[in-house]
Amino acid sequence: MNRVSTDSERLFLALWPDAEVRRQLAELVSACRSQVSGRPVAPEKLHVTLAFLGEVPTTAAGAVAACVDELPGLDTQVRLDRLGFWPRNGILWAGSREVDPALAAFAADLHARLARLGFRLDRRPFSPHVTLMRRVRRRPRLPSPGIDWAVHGIVLVRSQLASAGSTYEVVRRWSG
Ligand code: ATP
Ligand code: MG
């Protein structure tokens, strides 16, 4: 049964593709699906997680928003030129050969500020990627992608877990 809670919510901060980048990512998912089995990510859900806050009290969203308000905007060019596969968790993803320095600096600043507020974040190094498919068992043989993404800001997303899969809702946007 789904847990319906009004006093907590599952939140994450993310880069949210514009329609054109989303279309290109969805095309990449289709190409991957034609070669390997697994669970493709629906086009409307494709994103890069910047900070996963997890299940937090509903009052936390205000603190997160205030924290992002204090940051300088994010305005950068991200080139997705790498198709990656993590065999251990079966995740097929798109990312960059070289992580954009502006994005890395922004994420580091964001993580530091959220940690100071008491949020417990993933301690693994920030590895920006768009998850394309899950439960994949082998790497597809495809040419490297070449998707240029002009990033202008970030979003706060609420994720609702259900037996049929999660649904995302963008609850706030900051333009770069
Ligand atoms: P499902 O778990 O049902 O497959 P989902 O992974 O799409 O759904 P969430 O688990 O709410 O939905 O995750 C939202 C985003 O946060 C995804 O990009 C996910 O990869 C990322 N994420 C989830 N858990 C963590 C975590 N512990 N650390 C870092 N990122 C996470
Ligand atoms: Mg998950």
Side-chain angles (χ1 to χ4, degrees):
M1 209 173 81
N2 301 338
R3 194 167 69 86
V4 179
S5 168
T6 50
D7 53 11
S8 76
E9 57 187 352
R10 192 173 171 94
L11 296 177
F12 63 100
L13 289 158
L15 303 182
W16 210 242
D18 57 62
E20 175 54 21
V21 171
R22 195 173 288 287
R23 189 192 63 74
Q24 292 179 53
L25 285 168
E27 231 169 58
L28 183 56
V29 172
S30 298
C32 293
R33 283 185 83 161
S34 71
Q35 288 212 2
V36 295
S37 55
R39 196 154 59 91
V41 174
E44 69 277 7
K45 291 178 66 180
L46 294 160
H47 67 277
V48 172
T49 301
L50 284 179
F52 179 74
L53 301 154
E55 196 76 22
V56 293
T58 45
T59 49
V64 173
C67 178
V68 178
D69 284 341
E70 281 178 19
L71 282 169
L74 178 65
D75 225 321
T76 192
Q77 194 74 29
V78 169
R79 180 158 175 82
L80 301 174
D81 55 4
R82 180 173 177 199
L83 185 61
F85 174 52
W86 289 322
R88 267 200 292 168
N89 57 8
I91 287 185
L92 187 62
W93 51 274
S96 306
R97 284 174 210 273
E98 282 174 41
V99 173
D100 174 59
L103 175 59
F106 182 89
D109 195 3
L110 175 66
H111 282 221
R113 287 170 192 250
L114 289 170
R116 249 179 270 140
L117 287 178
F119 290 100
R120 272 191 231 128
L121 302 169
D122 196 352
R123 274 194 240 132
R124 288 171 296 182
F126 176 58
S127 173
H129 63 278
V130 179
T131 297
L132 303 171
M133 287 181 74
R134 299 173 199 259
R135 296 196 204 145
V136 171
R137 302 236 292 271
R138 67 170 180 87
R139 179 187 288 278
R141 284 188 197 91
L142 288 170
S144 295
I147 301 176
D148 286 305
W149 181 353
V151 172
H152 306 293
I154 72 168
V155 296
L156 177 63
V157 187
R158 183 187 296 136
S159 168
Q160 263 164 329
L161 301 182
S163 44
S166 60
T167 53
Y168 298 162
E169 183 191 351
V170 173
V171 292
R172 196 132 171 219
R173 285 176 186 272
W174 290 264
S175 51

